[in-house]
Amino acid sequence: MADLVLVVEDDPANAVLVEAILTTVGVFEVVWSDDGDEILEIVRARPVAAVLMDVSLSHTMVAGEKVDGVELTRRIRDLPEGLNLPVVLLTAHAMKGDRERLLFSSSANDYVAKPIVDQKGLVSLVERHIRAAKAVRSELVARHREQ
């Protein structure tokens, strides 16, 4: 079964592009949404392997409150299911210092500048983060069994 990647994007054209990259260059199942409440529910209820998060969400709401990708990533991290979930920020903010500032403020794992030029590189990045998260989960399960 393919790993599930949640794409959080408010521009349908960008969402379709990212989905096409992940399903043709990669072999992922993709769910796309820009509804903050739905995104949190998907993370709680489904076995999400990674999240690709647009930073500049313009219409996304959680419980009636407008949020951007940084805040939504923080809220994902607040969920038990989100602690070890790889989150990769997708953003047009590519000025010097943006990467560090956005990663620090959101607790995301990585950052990719838009437009996405290296499609294979994006897939490789997502695969690498999913492998690392699975290894951490396996190690935690093994340690828990030992106790």
Side-chain angles (χ1 to χ4, degrees):
M1 178 156 67
D3 288 316
L4 175 62
V5 176
L6 176 57
V7 175
V8 181
E9 174 63 68
D10 61 349
D11 180 335
N14 284 340
V16 168
L17 173 64
V18 172
E19 180 177 12
I21 293 168
L22 294 175
T23 58
T24 58
V25 178
V27 290
F28 299 104
E29 176 187 352
V30 175
V31 172
W32 164 64
S33 180
D34 67 344
D35 179 311
D37 294 313
E38 178 183 36
I39 290 157
L40 295 175
E41 184 54 35
I42 290 168
V43 170
R44 281 187 210 95
R46 299 202 47 200
V48 177
V51 176
L52 296 183
M53 176 74 69
D54 179 34
V55 170
S56 301
L57 300 170
S58 55
H59 305 293
T60 300
M61 308 282 276
V62 173
E65 177 185 347
K66 185 180 178 328
V67 296
D68 64 7
V70 170
E71 177 59 26
L72 189 51
T73 298
R74 286 187 199 124
R75 293 184 187 209
I76 288 171
R77 289 286 185 238
D78 287 342
L79 301 173
E81 301 84 357
L83 290 173
N84 188 42
L85 179 61
V87 178
V88 176
L89 300 177
L90 301 176
T91 181
H93 299 281
M95 300 298 290
K96 183 176 178 153
D98 283 345
R99 176 185 174 86
E100 294 77 13
R101 178 183 54 80
L102 290 169
L103 290 174
F104 179 77
S105 63
S106 68
S107 297
N109 299 79
D110 220 321
Y111 164 107
V112 173
K114 291 194 262 184
I116 299 167
V117 178
D118 183 1
Q119 296 178 1
K120 289 181 182 177
L122 175 64
V123 169
S124 177
L125 179 80
V126 172
E127 289 172 339
R128 187 170 61 248
H129 281 293
I130 290 173
R131 276 194 310 273
K134 286 179 178 179
V136 167
R137 279 192 294 274
S138 294
E139 179 66 23
L140 291 173
V141 167
R143 286 183 184 182
H144 181 71
R145 287 185 182 146
E146 292 173 0
Q147 294 177 351

